[in-house]
Amino acid sequence: MDTNKNIEANSSSFDDIEEKIHANQVLYDQLHQSLVDESIAQVDEDERSGRHSASEISDTETIFSRLSNYYQANELFRYAIWGFGAVFLATTILTIIEYPLFSGSVKDDVGDGFMFGGSEPNWLDTFFHTFWWAVVTFTTVGYGDVSPETHLGKFLTIIIMILNLGIVTMLTGAVSSVLVAARLKGDDKLDETKFHGHLIIAGWNPAVQSALRLVEANEDSTSVVILINETEEEIIKRAISGFDRLDITHLSENFTQEGVLKKAYIEECGTFMIVPDESGLLPNEKPDEDKTVLTALTAKSILEDIQVVAYILDEEYISHLHRANVNEIVFPDEHIPHMLAKHVTDPGVPQLFDELITQEKQDKGIQVVPIPKGLVGLTHNKVSAYYKFKHKWLLVGYAIKKAGFSLEDQMGESGSPIIRDMIKEQLDGAGIKLSSDEHVIVEINPDDEYVIDGKHKALVLR
Amino acid sequence: MSVSASQIQKINYFSKVPEKLCSEIAEAVIEEKCSPGTVLLKEGEAGDTMLLIFQGQVEVSKNMMVKASSGFTMSTKSIIRLETTDPAPSNDPITQPTVSVVKAPAFGIGEFSLVLDDAKRTSHVTAMTDVKYGILSLEHFSRIVDKNPSIGGTVYFEVAKSAVNNLATATQDISNLTQAFFFALTK
């Protein structure tokens, strides 16, 4: 009898709860619909204004600026333009000086065929005729169908031919030097415009391909990837052939060199990832992890703000990487004991991780998504409700960009101002930054009243 | 002109001392005057006198090892300036202050000399304006305290308060410096 009552009581309270949840859902839907609309409207507006400004630049202007850029960047193009100009100038001069001679021979050579001036040759015909002669002479082809007859004409031709010798030599030299320089440079200069916020992966091992597959699956992440390693081109090509969304470029060079990193526009990159490099190693050889540390140092010396993620196999290197100010260190061995132990203490947890991490598919699993502007400043329970009811995602926690430890904040107003000032002055003078690098921390399942600011991104389970 | 009891009472260490006894202290104080730039106390020197600044502005500074472009050098760093308000300094300071200026009716400096024989001066004190000040020696002061033990209690309480405050600040300074030290080491 008692138990029956209990069940009854329980069921009635379940009804209550259900009612409440439903009421909440309606409330949240109403509450957040406006926010959702607002944030979407904001995004639309941003896009529109971006497109508008792009169309303002006229087509001719872009062609002209492209040509001038090309002219400045390409030595060969420059020489060709000047060579062509020289021939054109010579032709003009010769046409003027030897007009009677060339205009006379036009009719003999061309006969009754097509002429600009109809039946009688005009100046354009003469010019073209002379131009033909000039090109034939300049290229050292020398048909001989047209040739100067007067002594003056021959004399001028001698001068032109001698000058031509120089010009041809210069042109040949220029062409070959440009080609040689290109070969020396490896002339695979990448197109600057698309590299911004891209992912650079230095080093190659099988984990890279799997990592790329996960990056490919998340449509919000960058699509531009540069791989730097000296693994055989064939292997890389095979490994990266299956990707549709990703635009992958391979630089087959030594990634420890500053010049190579700069070629990959490391200053502009979103993430610089260093992995144990197995390029050219035999199966029983271990990757050289000194290279990882060295590369991290090089990257940080190019620009302190680069987000560097290092994957390391040997624990010994962790402290070195910390010293190199690497933002995130991935050390897989760290997770293994936990996984093993959890099989004993909490069976199911390792399987959950398996499911979440290794089985990640497109639009499934744990992902970081930006929080709509309208939700910034609200509390965790509201944001969580937004994801729950709007997208049916479970909000697990937040990834927060933190400025890192700051000595200035730490000292605050304590102690005497003179000592604080002296510390700042002296550390500044010694080139030591008063704060550590920005890094990402996670806040998992915070209190309901936890307030979200602009630096938060949502970790959701989709 | 001798020092009056009301002048003595303006100094925080003596503020709780009854006027009658203040006049007794006033009698023991020797009044002096100095021009800007005069060094009143020198860091590291032993002293058995306390200075009572009645009028003017003084700068407190310390010798410190600092890193300059040419390596480490010893330089004198200003820490604070003290200025009287009752009366205010009679002329402008010779240099503009680079540190904060603390104002009070009148100041007592070198107060540790009232506690310790031959207390070492902890910092330099330099006159920035014309300064009117009085000198109170430990010898005179102890004689007064011997006669009127109640003075000792109130004055030494104020001295102890200032010493405790200094100690708290110094502890914070050490903690700041230690942090900065580790910060510099780990980079």
Side-chain angles (χ1 to χ4, degrees):
Chain A
M1 191 64 206
D2 261 5
T3 41
N4 265 350
K5 251 187 198 166
N6 271 342
I7 289 166
E8 235 168 68
N10 271 342
S11 69
S12 75
S13 69
F14 280 144
D15 285 349
D16 264 9
I17 289 170
E18 226 155 78
E19 215 166 89
K20 271 182 192 157
I21 288 177
H22 180 71
N24 272 337
Q25 181 164 357
V26 171
L27 189 67
Y28 280 131
D29 281 350
Q30 285 171 349
L31 185 64
H32 294 302
Q33 193 52 52
S34 60
L35 293 174
V36 175
D37 290 349
E38 203 175 280
S39 52
I40 288 170
Q42 180 68 38
V43 172
D44 279 356
E45 201 171 287
D46 287 353
E47 268 182 12
R48 228 176 293 131
S49 63
R51 225 176 286 144
H52 184 63
S53 67
S55 66
E56 261 176 18
I57 304 165
S58 73
D59 290 345
T60 43
E61 225 171 301
T62 43
I63 288 173
F64 182 76
S65 72
R66 270 211 196 146
L67 267 180
S68 83
N69 279 345
Y70 192 66
Y71 176 80
Q72 283 185 354
N74 197 326
E75 217 177 336
L76 211 55
F77 187 65
R78 218 152 51 217
Y79 278 113
I81 293 272
W82 280 103
F84 188 77
V87 175
F88 207 76
L89 190 71
T91 312
T92 314
I93 293 171
L94 219 72
T95 312
I96 292 164
I97 294 175
E98 284 271 21
Y99 190 79
L101 164 73
F102 282 108
S103 75
S105 69
V106 171
K107 212 159 181 171
D108 300 342
D109 278 20
V110 182
D112 290 331
F114 165 76
M115 274 190 281
F116 291 106
S119 56
E120 276 305 306
N122 68 355
W123 64 271
L124 197 57
D125 292 300
T126 314
F127 182 81
F128 185 76
H129 194 63
T130 321
F131 190 63
W132 164 248
W133 168 84
V135 172
V136 166
T137 310
F138 259 83
T139 52
T140 72
V141 170
Y143 273 125
D145 58 340
V146 191
S147 52
E149 282 166 16
T150 61
H151 283 318
L152 180 63
K154 282 180 179 164
F155 178 70
L156 285 171
T157 309
I158 288 172
I159 294 174
I160 285 172
M161 283 194 292
I162 289 170
L163 281 177
N164 178 43
L165 209 64
I167 292 173
V168 167
T169 317
M170 262 170 54
L171 259 174
T172 318
V175 169
S176 48
S177 77
V178 167
L179 288 177
V180 169
R183 173 157 298 182
L184 283 179
K185 259 197 282 179
D187 200 44
D188 38 11
K189 198 162 182 297
L190 306 175
D191 177 16
E192 195 170 351
T193 49
K194 74 177 179 188
F195 294 105
H196 180 79
H198 56 293
L199 165 66
I200 304 175
I201 303 180
W204 179 259
N205 68 42
V208 174
Q209 194 182 359
S210 317
L212 286 175
R213 209 169 294 135
L214 295 177
V215 175
E216 158 114 347
N218 187 336
E219 297 201 350
D220 296 329
S221 62
T222 179
S223 65
V224 182
V225 181
I226 300 180
L227 302 175
I228 317 176
N229 57 65
E230 291 175 296
T231 299
E232 279 166 53
E233 200 78 30
E234 276 306 305
I235 298 177
I236 301 291
K237 262 193 194 140
R238 221 176 307 135
I240 65 178
S241 58
F243 297 111
D244 301 327
R245 193 180 74 84
L246 295 183
D247 171 1
I248 305 175
T249 315
H250 178 217
L251 280 181
S252 181
E253 288 181 66
N254 180 354
F255 57 77
T256 55
Q257 285 172 10
E258 191 174 334
V260 174
L261 297 183
K262 281 192 171 159
K263 204 191 273 181
Y265 300 104
I266 190 169
E267 296 101 319
E268 296 287 318
C269 81
T271 309
F272 179 59
M273 192 179 286
I274 316 168
V275 303
D277 190 20
E278 292 182 6
S279 305
L281 294 186
L282 298 172
N284 57 349
E285 282 178 322
K286 276 194 171 171
D288 176 10
E289 303 216 79
D290 288 338
K291 265 164 79 176
T292 307
V293 178
L294 186 60
T295 310
L297 283 169
T298 312
K300 281 289 183 183
S301 72
I302 292 174
L303 187 69
E304 185 67 39
D305 294 341
I306 295 172
Q307 161 91 0
V308 179
V309 178
Y311 166 21
I312 203 89
L313 299 171
D314 190 343
E315 200 172 359
E316 195 189 317
Y317 289 94
I318 292 180
S319 61
H320 297 302
L321 288 172
H322 275 302
R323 217 163 293 151
N325 267 337
V326 165
N327 303 66
E328 306 293 339
I329 298 171
V330 179
F331 178 55
D333 275 3
E334 203 170 44
H335 307 299
I336 292 170
H338 295 282
M339 295 296 265
L340 288 173
K342 287 285 179 188
H343 272 294
V344 180
T345 58
D346 303 278
V349 172
Q351 286 85 341
L352 169 74
F353 280 119
D354 262 9
E355 198 67 26
L356 287 183
I357 296 170
T358 57
Q359 309 291 317
E360 192 166 309
K361 291 194 195 70
Q362 193 158 358
D363 292 346
K364 282 275 173 272
I366 290 201
Q367 290 181 354
V368 173
V369 293
I371 295 176
K373 275 182 201 152
L375 297 179
V376 171
L378 296 183
T379 49
H380 169 63
N381 56 352
K382 289 187 182 151
V383 179
S384 146
Y386 164 79
Y387 283 111
K388 179 89 197 129
F389 297 124
K390 178 74 192 167
H391 300 290
K392 307 240 182 301
W393 299 343
L394 181 62
L395 179 60
V396 183
Y398 302 94
I400 310 149
K401 268 221 151 131
K402 275 267 155 90
F405 174 84
S406 157
L407 187 60
E408 209 159 347
D409 292 349
Q410 197 71 21
M411 293 196 296
E413 293 289 301
S414 69
S416 33
I418 168 133
I419 298 287
R420 289 203 307 269
D421 290 348
M422 191 201 70
I423 289 171
K424 282 179 220 162
E425 204 175 282
Q426 295 289 309
L427 287 185
D428 246 13
I432 296 167
K433 284 212 302 187
L434 287 169
S435 57
S436 60
D437 272 345
E438 212 175 55
H439 59 118
V440 174
I441 61 163
V442 290
E443 180 75 48
I444 293 173
N445 195 19
D447 285 345
D448 277 357
E449 298 310 312
Y450 181 84
V451 178
I452 281 61
D453 69 19
K455 292 200 162 162
H456 284 63
K457 282 188 172 181
L459 282 168
V460 295
L461 181 55
R462 293 168 82 161
Chain B
M1 186 198 111
S2 66
V3 180
S4 69
S6 63
Q7 269 177 307
I8 296 291
Q9 226 167 6
K10 282 178 209 155
I11 293 162
N12 60 341
Y13 300 115
F14 303 113
S15 56
K16 303 269 165 59
V17 178
E19 200 174 337
K20 199 181 133 258
L21 294 176
C22 274
S23 53
E24 215 164 305
I25 295 171
E27 272 170 40
V29 171
I30 305 156
E31 198 183 19
E32 296 272 355
K33 263 187 209 172
C34 73
S35 49
T38 312
V39 177
L40 297 171
L41 296 180
K42 227 175 174 180
E43 186 181 351
E45 241 177 30
D48 57 357
T49 54
M50 177 183 178
L51 297 193
L52 313 174
I53 311 289
F54 298 127
Q55 183 185 18
Q57 191 191 72
V58 296
E59 183 168 86
V60 180
S61 56
K62 266 174 107 68
N63 282 340
M64 275 187 197
M65 186 87 96
V66 291
K67 196 174 179 187
S69 53
S70 56
F72 285 100
T73 51
M74 199 59 120
S75 94
T76 308
K77 284 216 137 206
S78 338
I79 294 174
I80 204 168
R81 282 196 186 192
L82 307 171
E83 189 181 298
T84 59
T85 54
D86 186 18
S90 54
N91 47 4
D92 285 335
I94 41 173
T95 54
Q96 281 308 305
T98 54
V99 287
S100 53
V101 180
V102 172
K103 295 183 182 186
F107 294 96
I109 52 176
E111 69 277 10
F112 292 164
S113 295
L114 293 189
V115 184
L116 283 177
D117 251 336
D118 287 344
K120 286 257 188 330
R121 304 296 188 195
T122 53
S123 43
H124 299 293
V125 176
T126 314
M128 291 289 122
T129 60
D130 285 332
V131 173
K132 275 187 194 159
Y133 65 103
I135 301 172
L136 176 60
S137 69
L138 175 60
E139 195 195 333
H140 282 130
F141 185 67
S142 341
R143 220 176 292 153
I144 296 168
V145 173
D146 283 347
K147 247 199 297 180
N148 312 283
S150 62
I151 293 187
T154 48
V155 172
Y156 282 129
F157 178 70
E158 291 298 327
V159 173
K161 225 161 71 177
S162 125
V164 167
N165 279 335
N166 284 349
L167 191 63
T169 314
T171 311
Q172 263 310 324
D173 285 346
I174 290 173
S175 112
N176 282 346
L177 285 167
T178 314
Q179 277 180 17
F181 181 64
F182 286 133
F183 214 79
L185 275 187
T186 49
K187 282 283 164 162

